[in-house]
Amino acid sequence: MELCQDVYLPLTLPFTAMCIDGYHKCETGGSYFMISRSLGPEFGGAVGLCFYLGTTFAGAMYILGAIEIFLLYIVPEAAIFTDGGAAMLNNMRVYGSICLLLMSLLVFVGVKYVNKLASIFLACVIVSIVSIYAGGLVSAFHKPHFPVCMLGNRTINSHSVDNQCQKTFLQAIKETEERFEGNVTVNYENGTVEPTIIPTFAPAALEKPTSLWVAFCHSKELNATCDAYFTANNFTEIHGIPGLASGIISENLWSSYLSKGDVLEKGSLNSSQVAQPVPGDNPYVFADIATSFTLLVGIFFPSVTGIMAGSNRSGDLKDAQRSIPIGTILAILTTSLIYLSSVVLFGACIEGVVLRDKFGDSVKGNLVVGTLAWPTPWVIVIGSFFSTCGAGLQSLTGAPRLLQAIAKDNIIPFLRVFGHGKANGEPTWALLLTALIAELGILIASLDLVAPILTMFFLMCYLFVNLACALQTLLRTPNWRPRFSYYHWTLSFLGMTICLALMFISSWYYAIVAMVIAGMIYKYIEYHGAEKEWGDGIRGLSLSAARYALLRLEEGPPHTKNWRPQVLVLLKLDEDAHVKSPRLLTFASQLKAGKGLTIVGTVVSGNFLQSYGEALAAEQTLKHLMDKERVKGFCQCIVAQKSREGISHMIQSSGLGGMKPNTVVMGWPHAWRQSEDPQSWKTFINTVRVTTAAHLALLVPKNISLFPSNSEPCTEGYIDVWWIVHDGGMLMLLPFLLRQHKVWRKCNMRIFTVAQMEDNSIQMKKDLATFLYHLRIEADVEVVEMHDSDISAYTYERTLMMEQRSQMLRQMRLSKSDREKEGNPGSSSSRPEAGGAARTQVYLSPRFGSSGVHPSNTVKGDRGRQAQLVKDRNSMLRLTSIGSDDDDDTDGGERDRAVSSGGSTEHHRRVQMTWTKEKTSQYRATHSGCSTPEGFRDMLSIRPDHSNVRRMHTAVKLNEVIVNKSHDARLVLLNMPGPPRNTEGDENYMEFLEVLTEGLERVLLVRGGGSEVITIYS
């Protein structure tokens, strides 16, 4: 009992602080209102509904208590069912339902009548309490006659005792009779035998067995074989209420818990113990349930749950902020004093076996407290009856108002109907639902089963009230300014700890059930409930936690083990503000599997002041698409004059602190050859350059419309990885992440690497398999050998078409002024090519060191210079920049040539793009322009640049191998070569990428960010 009261001592002050606080003032709904406005609608709705159910079941429990008093002590003859063990429960169900109906009608008529009856009920309770204390004092001078029959130290069921606590009794004979028994006395003197007649008389009383003898011996014969304990011990009678001066409190001071089926025993009585089990049919008083500290807490706790009675009816109070704190504090102090003093008084006046006798079997079912009370037991009977009736009325009055407050907030859609009521605001529909739920509790008809459920719901409510107070204080919310100053957040944490401990102490399984119910309600409100913004503490807690986490991330760069794709998805909108490639977001969601950071961005062309409305509309479009694809992330819309500038700004500014994107996902510019506006593919290449400069990874899905949606899982197939260049492990990690999603889960992984003639293919395969084993990635490994071959006519023709198209487009875009300007040889716009730049070269096939784990041939030189396709004198194929300005060495016959008359030797022959500004000027000097038919025919007669032919040859041969091996793959991952440094070769770069991926259904071009993203360590 002390522990149950201690729950309220730390709860009262936080509760008072919240009621007095201006924002959290106790409006209609009481505890629900405070929790929902402090912790949010999800917590408020979940805990509020649980508290509503607890209050409703508490009303059913109080009604059952009133009916039990009515049938046992007031009018026992009113019992309808008399036979069978469930007769009492059936009577309680019938009369409880009738009582619930009458109380519901009274509450429906009006709460003012309940308030008037409350005064009468309170007067009866006060008189009853006073009579108990008076009876305790009187018992010190005059012990009430309250005998308890004991056999040895065991308590006897008084229903088996016919007012005779003994084994046998003497039954008196009505009429004394003299009978001749025929006794003969033989006298051997004188050798004669003379009979002497001596009359004998029958006794005046006969020894008869009692009902207890028959119960223990199963026979009325005095010579029958009886129970061993019965034979070894005698019956005694003790005083059930020995009085205040008896000193019995010394025995009752310590606990004495029983198991189910144990006999109630008095330890201070002597008895002869017998080592044999107690038969269940003997007339002892047995414990019907196993008692323990936790069970008693669960049963007793509902009797101290009235703290929220005022808050539940706060809408009916004139000044709730003043009345509830004062009334709550006084109620806690008063009830604590009464409860604790009553426990001490009962322990000092009543025998322990009587206190532990649940149904009063040892005292013939008499009311123990009524016998102790003065002047008559009827004071207690009437007071207890009205007390339980009043508590039931209070529950039926407060619970509907609590439900009505939840329904009016519209956080649970299907409860909306219960927010309506009568014209004066009385919750009619909520009262009807409350009565139906209370009827379920009455049909259970067992207080021991109902009480633990109530305990869990009430404790959960008190726990979250403490949590709300502590959260508001620790977060230092500016609007948390309670007038009640006698409060500290440590009291709230103390109350939380006690509530949580009591939940599991009283019944751990009921506690889990209550938490599961609250969790289900929470998730329902989170997904289907109406969104509410009440400035709750959870939002403030989220802000504080986010700030703390961001500051922690700034302490150092993330380790490779913690690397995960933080994705920036670049989407493009059409003229009607519709997303052109929504499958990009679908692919990003599959790659993320709901984890990590996702930012979805777009660029709106125009001026920010004039296009602000368009930006908001675009942001809403992105949010709707994210909701449709169930992507958790953020939207970012930037207004810029040019798309490439907006994308560059977005890549630079997205994210915050350590939560910045490290991977960019963008779409492939479809039909870029036919596009009259070159800005689309120029923006694409510029984005590639920006991501490379920012050291971000880049993912470009090609043919994104053919990628599967989230509702189209792949039942079989392969994800093929063509590992040409070691890019920090991106190509290894991406398929693993994709296979975490249900769409790609059933796809197997294959890794291909390309070997040249001088490479050891068998050793390469072993090294790569060892590498994958240490990475704990399951995949099939295959080494593809590429042989040297002559340049085919197809390759030559593709290169020629590429250069002709490039030249034609350039000539068509040149204006007259540009032609005149470029036609002047001394013009300052003629830019000399930068020479002497060192090349970045990486072998086509990844090499491994002796460990077989880390590749040894990594990218050398500047970080921005990536490995791409080239030709080298010692190997057939290498990777360098496709379409770059760097030297492209030809066969051994074509070496470096002298370029100056002074005899100096240039170690690297400069290879320029086919149509640079110098070549354009030279071409125009000898031709009249491509606008004339003759100029057009001359343009068709040009010969392609040899370096472009070699690059095209490499792309064609690699594409043939990829198509041959991966034509049936669900997805092909391929290294994406870097763009040329000279922007004059952008068109050729796009053409090379087209040739490289030609004939593949789904391709993911991957470009690493220059850092390791996968490691063998876990």
Side-chain angles (χ1 to χ4, degrees), residues 396-436:
L396 292 178
T397 303
R401 282 160 173 75
L402 180 58
L403 179 62
Q404 185 183 40
I406 298 174
K408 281 186 175 180
D409 281 339
N410 197 25
I411 60 174
I412 302 178
F414 67 86
L415 291 181
R416 190 181 299 115
V417 64
F418 299 106
H420 305 290
K422 294 191 294 186
N424 58 356
E426 290 293 319
T428 307
W429 294 105
L431 176 61
L432 178 61
L433 179 63
T434 302
L436 293 176

Short mmCIF file of all heavy atoms in Angstrom, two decimals, residues 396-436:
data_model
loop_
_atom_site.label_atom_id
_atom_site.label_comp_id
_atom_site.label_asym_id
_atom_site.label_seq_id
_atom_site.Cartn_x
_atom_site.Cartn_y
_atom_site.Cartn_z
N LEU A 396 -18.34 6.41 -14.79
CA LEU A 396 -19.26 6.54 -15.92
C LEU A 396 -19.46 7.99 -16.34
O LEU A 396 -19.92 8.25 -17.45
CB LEU A 396 -20.61 5.91 -15.58
CG LEU A 396 -20.63 4.40 -15.40
CD1 LEU A 396 -22.02 3.92 -15.01
CD2 LEU A 396 -20.18 3.70 -16.68
N THR A 397 -19.12 8.92 -15.47
CA THR A 397 -19.21 10.34 -15.83
C THR A 397 -17.93 10.83 -16.51
O THR A 397 -17.98 11.57 -17.50
CB THR A 397 -19.47 11.19 -14.58
OG1 THR A 397 -20.66 10.72 -13.93
CG2 THR A 397 -19.63 12.66 -14.94
N GLY A 398 -16.77 10.40 -16.01
CA GLY A 398 -15.50 10.88 -16.56
C GLY A 398 -15.09 10.19 -17.84
O GLY A 398 -14.54 10.83 -18.75
N ALA A 399 -15.31 8.89 -17.96
CA ALA A 399 -14.85 8.14 -19.13
C ALA A 399 -15.47 8.65 -20.44
O ALA A 399 -14.76 8.84 -21.44
CB ALA A 399 -15.12 6.65 -18.94
N PRO A 400 -16.80 8.89 -20.51
CA PRO A 400 -17.35 9.40 -21.78
C PRO A 400 -16.79 10.76 -22.17
O PRO A 400 -16.60 11.02 -23.37
CB PRO A 400 -18.85 9.49 -21.50
CG PRO A 400 -19.10 8.52 -20.40
CD PRO A 400 -17.89 8.58 -19.55
N ARG A 401 -16.50 11.61 -21.20
CA ARG A 401 -15.93 12.91 -21.54
C ARG A 401 -14.51 12.78 -22.08
O ARG A 401 -14.08 13.56 -22.93
CB ARG A 401 -15.96 13.81 -20.30
CG ARG A 401 -17.33 14.38 -20.04
CD ARG A 401 -17.53 14.85 -18.62
NE ARG A 401 -18.82 15.53 -18.50
CZ ARG A 401 -20.00 14.92 -18.47
NH1 ARG A 401 -20.05 13.60 -18.53
NH2 ARG A 401 -21.12 15.60 -18.36
N LEU A 402 -13.78 11.81 -21.54
CA LEU A 402 -12.44 11.55 -22.06
C LEU A 402 -12.50 11.06 -23.51
O LEU A 402 -11.75 11.52 -24.38
CB LEU A 402 -11.74 10.51 -21.18
CG LEU A 402 -10.32 10.10 -21.56
CD1 LEU A 402 -9.41 11.31 -21.59
CD2 LEU A 402 -9.80 9.05 -20.60
N LEU A 403 -13.43 10.14 -23.79
CA LEU A 403 -13.59 9.65 -25.15
C LEU A 403 -14.07 10.76 -26.08
O LEU A 403 -13.64 10.84 -27.25
CB LEU A 403 -14.59 8.49 -25.17
CG LEU A 403 -14.89 7.86 -26.53
CD1 LEU A 403 -13.63 7.28 -27.14
CD2 LEU A 403 -15.97 6.80 -26.41
N GLN A 404 -14.94 11.61 -25.61
CA GLN A 404 -15.44 12.71 -26.43
C GLN A 404 -14.31 13.68 -26.80
O GLN A 404 -14.23 14.15 -27.94
CB GLN A 404 -16.54 13.47 -25.70
CG GLN A 404 -17.21 14.56 -26.52
CD GLN A 404 -18.23 15.33 -25.70
OE1 GLN A 404 -17.99 15.64 -24.53
NE2 GLN A 404 -19.36 15.63 -26.31
N ALA A 405 -13.40 13.93 -25.86
CA ALA A 405 -12.27 14.82 -26.16
C ALA A 405 -11.36 14.21 -27.22
O ALA A 405 -10.87 14.91 -28.12
CB ALA A 405 -11.48 15.08 -24.88
N ILE A 406 -11.12 12.90 -27.16
CA ILE A 406 -10.30 12.23 -28.18
C ILE A 406 -10.98 12.29 -29.54
O ILE A 406 -10.34 12.54 -30.56
CB ILE A 406 -10.03 10.78 -27.75
CG1 ILE A 406 -9.24 10.74 -26.44
CG2 ILE A 406 -9.27 10.03 -28.84
CD1 ILE A 406 -9.06 9.34 -25.87
N ALA A 407 -12.30 12.06 -29.53
CA ALA A 407 -13.03 12.06 -30.81
C ALA A 407 -13.09 13.45 -31.42
O ALA A 407 -13.01 13.59 -32.65
CB ALA A 407 -14.44 11.51 -30.59
N LYS A 408 -13.23 14.48 -30.61
CA LYS A 408 -13.30 15.84 -31.15
C LYS A 408 -12.00 16.27 -31.79
O LYS A 408 -12.00 17.06 -32.74
CB LYS A 408 -13.68 16.82 -30.03
CG LYS A 408 -15.16 16.83 -29.70
CD LYS A 408 -15.48 17.91 -28.69
CE LYS A 408 -16.99 18.00 -28.45
NZ LYS A 408 -17.32 19.07 -27.46
N ASP A 409 -10.87 15.77 -31.29
CA ASP A 409 -9.58 16.10 -31.91
C ASP A 409 -9.39 15.43 -33.25
O ASP A 409 -8.47 15.77 -33.99
CB ASP A 409 -8.44 15.72 -30.96
CG ASP A 409 -8.24 16.74 -29.87
OD1 ASP A 409 -8.68 17.89 -30.05
OD2 ASP A 409 -7.64 16.40 -28.83
N ASN A 410 -10.23 14.44 -33.54
CA ASN A 410 -10.23 13.79 -34.86
C ASN A 410 -8.89 13.15 -35.20
O ASN A 410 -8.47 13.13 -36.35
CB ASN A 410 -10.62 14.79 -35.95
CG ASN A 410 -11.02 14.11 -37.24
OD1 ASN A 410 -11.46 12.96 -37.23
ND2 ASN A 410 -10.88 14.82 -38.35
N ILE A 411 -8.19 12.64 -34.20
CA ILE A 411 -6.93 11.95 -34.47
C ILE A 411 -7.15 10.48 -34.80
O ILE A 411 -6.27 9.83 -35.35
CB ILE A 411 -5.97 12.08 -33.27
CG1 ILE A 411 -6.58 11.46 -32.02
CG2 ILE A 411 -5.61 13.52 -33.03
CD1 ILE A 411 -5.63 11.43 -30.84
N ILE A 412 -8.34 9.95 -34.45
CA ILE A 412 -8.69 8.58 -34.80
C ILE A 412 -9.99 8.66 -35.61
O ILE A 412 -11.05 8.94 -35.06
CB ILE A 412 -8.88 7.71 -33.54
CG1 ILE A 412 -7.60 7.72 -32.71
CG2 ILE A 412 -9.25 6.29 -33.92
CD1 ILE A 412 -7.70 6.93 -31.42
N PRO A 413 -9.91 8.42 -36.91
CA PRO A 413 -11.09 8.70 -37.77
C PRO A 413 -12.35 7.96 -37.37
O PRO A 413 -13.43 8.56 -37.37
CB PRO A 413 -10.59 8.25 -39.16
CG PRO A 413 -9.11 8.38 -39.09
CD PRO A 413 -8.73 8.03 -37.68
N PHE A 414 -12.26 6.68 -37.02
CA PHE A 414 -13.49 5.92 -36.77
C PHE A 414 -14.15 6.30 -35.45
O PHE A 414 -15.27 5.86 -35.17
CB PHE A 414 -13.23 4.42 -36.81
CG PHE A 414 -12.35 3.90 -35.70
CD1 PHE A 414 -12.89 3.55 -34.48
CD2 PHE A 414 -10.99 3.76 -35.89
CE1 PHE A 414 -12.10 3.07 -33.46
CE2 PHE A 414 -10.19 3.27 -34.87
CZ PHE A 414 -10.74 2.93 -33.66
N LEU A 415 -13.51 7.11 -34.62
CA LEU A 415 -14.12 7.56 -33.36
C LEU A 415 -14.80 8.92 -33.51
O LEU A 415 -15.28 9.48 -32.51
CB LEU A 415 -13.07 7.63 -32.25
CG LEU A 415 -12.48 6.31 -31.75
CD1 LEU A 415 -11.46 6.57 -30.64
CD2 LEU A 415 -13.57 5.38 -31.23
N ARG A 416 -14.84 9.44 -34.72
CA ARG A 416 -15.36 10.79 -34.91
C ARG A 416 -16.81 10.92 -34.45
O ARG A 416 -17.22 11.97 -33.94
CB ARG A 416 -15.24 11.16 -36.39
CG ARG A 416 -15.53 12.62 -36.68
CD ARG A 416 -15.40 12.93 -38.17
NE ARG A 416 -14.06 12.65 -38.64
CZ ARG A 416 -13.77 11.69 -39.52
NH1 ARG A 416 -14.74 10.94 -40.02
NH2 ARG A 416 -12.53 11.50 -39.93
N VAL A 417 -17.62 9.88 -34.59
CA VAL A 417 -19.03 9.95 -34.24
C VAL A 417 -19.23 10.16 -32.75
O VAL A 417 -20.23 10.75 -32.32
CB VAL A 417 -19.75 8.66 -34.70
CG1 VAL A 417 -19.21 7.45 -33.96
CG2 VAL A 417 -21.25 8.77 -34.53
N PHE A 418 -18.27 9.71 -31.93
CA PHE A 418 -18.43 9.84 -30.48
C PHE A 418 -18.09 11.23 -29.98
O PHE A 418 -18.16 11.49 -28.77
CB PHE A 418 -17.56 8.80 -29.76
CG PHE A 418 -17.92 7.39 -30.11
CD1 PHE A 418 -17.10 6.64 -30.95
CD2 PHE A 418 -19.06 6.81 -29.61
CE1 PHE A 418 -17.44 5.34 -31.28
CE2 PHE A 418 -19.40 5.52 -29.94
CZ PHE A 418 -18.59 4.78 -30.78
N GLY A 419 -17.72 12.13 -30.86
CA GLY A 419 -17.49 13.50 -30.44
C GLY A 419 -18.76 14.31 -30.36
O GLY A 419 -18.77 15.42 -29.82
N HIS A 420 -19.86 13.77 -30.88
CA HIS A 420 -21.14 14.49 -30.84
C HIS A 420 -21.89 14.13 -29.56
O HIS A 420 -21.64 13.11 -28.93
CB HIS A 420 -21.98 14.13 -32.06
CG HIS A 420 -21.27 14.37 -33.37
ND1 HIS A 420 -20.99 15.63 -33.84
CD2 HIS A 420 -20.78 13.48 -34.28
CE1 HIS A 420 -20.36 15.53 -34.99
NE2 HIS A 420 -20.21 14.24 -35.29
N GLY A 421 -22.84 14.99 -29.20
CA GLY A 421 -23.63 14.76 -28.01
C GLY A 421 -24.88 15.61 -28.02
O GLY A 421 -25.35 16.06 -29.07
N LYS A 422 -25.41 15.82 -26.84
CA LYS A 422 -26.61 16.64 -26.73
C LYS A 422 -26.27 18.12 -26.91
O LYS A 422 -25.10 18.50 -27.03
CB LYS A 422 -27.26 16.41 -25.36
CG LYS A 422 -27.80 14.99 -25.20
CD LYS A 422 -28.68 14.85 -23.97
CE LYS A 422 -27.90 15.05 -22.68
NZ LYS A 422 -28.74 14.77 -21.49
N ALA A 423 -27.29 18.94 -26.93
CA ALA A 423 -27.08 20.37 -27.17
C ALA A 423 -26.23 21.01 -26.09
O ALA A 423 -25.49 21.96 -26.35
CB ALA A 423 -28.43 21.08 -27.28
N ASN A 424 -26.34 20.50 -24.86
CA ASN A 424 -25.56 21.07 -23.77
C ASN A 424 -24.15 20.48 -23.68
O ASN A 424 -23.42 20.75 -22.73
CB ASN A 424 -26.28 20.87 -22.44
CG ASN A 424 -26.54 19.39 -22.16
OD1 ASN A 424 -26.25 18.51 -22.98
ND2 ASN A 424 -27.12 19.12 -20.98
N GLY A 425 -23.77 19.67 -24.64
CA GLY A 425 -22.42 19.11 -24.66
C GLY A 425 -22.26 17.78 -24.00
O GLY A 425 -21.15 17.24 -23.96
N GLU A 426 -23.33 17.21 -23.46
CA GLU A 426 -23.23 15.90 -22.81
C GLU A 426 -22.88 14.82 -23.84
O GLU A 426 -23.51 14.74 -24.90
CB GLU A 426 -24.55 15.55 -22.12
CG GLU A 426 -24.86 16.39 -20.90
CD GLU A 426 -23.89 16.13 -19.78
OE1 GLU A 426 -23.53 14.96 -19.55
OE2 GLU A 426 -23.46 17.10 -19.12
N PRO A 427 -21.88 13.98 -23.56
CA PRO A 427 -21.42 12.97 -24.54
C PRO A 427 -22.36 11.77 -24.61
O PRO A 427 -22.11 10.72 -24.00
CB PRO A 427 -20.04 12.60 -24.01
CG PRO A 427 -20.13 12.82 -22.54
CD PRO A 427 -21.06 13.98 -22.32
N THR A 428 -23.42 11.87 -25.38
CA THR A 428 -24.42 10.80 -25.43
C THR A 428 -23.86 9.53 -26.05
O THR A 428 -23.95 8.44 -25.46
CB THR A 428 -25.64 11.28 -26.24
OG1 THR A 428 -26.11 12.53 -25.70
CG2 THR A 428 -26.74 10.25 -26.18
N TRP A 429 -23.28 9.67 -27.25
CA TRP A 429 -22.77 8.48 -27.94
C TRP A 429 -21.57 7.88 -27.20
O TRP A 429 -21.41 6.66 -27.16
CB TRP A 429 -22.38 8.82 -29.38
CG TRP A 429 -23.56 9.20 -30.22
CD1 TRP A 429 -23.92 10.44 -30.64
CD2 TRP A 429 -24.55 8.29 -30.73
NE1 TRP A 429 -25.07 10.38 -31.39
CE2 TRP A 429 -25.48 9.07 -31.46
CE3 TRP A 429 -24.74 6.92 -30.64
CZ2 TRP A 429 -26.58 8.51 -32.11
CZ3 TRP A 429 -25.83 6.35 -31.30
CH2 TRP A 429 -26.73 7.14 -32.01
N ALA A 430 -20.76 8.72 -26.63
CA ALA A 430 -19.62 8.21 -25.86
C ALA A 430 -20.09 7.46 -24.61
O ALA A 430 -19.49 6.45 -24.21
CB ALA A 430 -18.70 9.36 -25.46
N LEU A 431 -21.19 7.94 -24.00
CA LEU A 431 -21.74 7.25 -22.84
C LEU A 431 -22.26 5.87 -23.23
O LEU A 431 -22.10 4.89 -22.49
CB LEU A 431 -22.86 8.09 -22.24
CG LEU A 431 -23.62 7.46 -21.06
CD1 LEU A 431 -22.68 7.18 -19.89
CD2 LEU A 431 -24.77 8.37 -20.63
N LEU A 432 -22.88 5.77 -24.40
CA LEU A 432 -23.39 4.48 -24.86
C LEU A 432 -22.26 3.47 -25.04
O LEU A 432 -22.35 2.31 -24.60
CB LEU A 432 -24.16 4.67 -26.16
CG LEU A 432 -24.73 3.40 -26.81
CD1 LEU A 432 -25.71 2.71 -25.87
CD2 LEU A 432 -25.39 3.72 -28.14
N LEU A 433 -21.16 3.91 -25.69
CA LEU A 433 -20.01 3.01 -25.87
C LEU A 433 -19.39 2.64 -24.53
O LEU A 433 -18.99 1.48 -24.32
CB LEU A 433 -18.98 3.67 -26.78
CG LEU A 433 -17.71 2.85 -27.04
CD1 LEU A 433 -18.06 1.56 -27.77
CD2 LEU A 433 -16.70 3.66 -27.85
N THR A 434 -19.32 3.59 -23.63
CA THR A 434 -18.75 3.31 -22.31
C THR A 434 -19.57 2.28 -21.57
O THR A 434 -19.03 1.37 -20.92
CB THR A 434 -18.68 4.62 -21.49
OG1 THR A 434 -17.89 5.58 -22.20
CG2 THR A 434 -18.08 4.37 -20.13
N ALA A 435 -20.89 2.37 -21.65
CA ALA A 435 -21.76 1.39 -20.99
C ALA A 435 -21.56 0.00 -21.58
O ALA A 435 -21.55 -1.00 -20.84
CB ALA A 435 -23.21 1.83 -21.11
N LEU A 436 -21.40 -0.08 -22.88
CA LEU A 436 -21.20 -1.39 -23.51
C LEU A 436 -19.87 -2.01 -23.07
O LEU A 436 -19.79 -3.22 -22.79
CB LEU A 436 -21.23 -1.25 -25.03
CG LEU A 436 -22.59 -0.85 -25.64
CD1 LEU A 436 -22.46 -0.65 -27.14
CD2 LEU A 436 -23.65 -1.89 -25.31
#
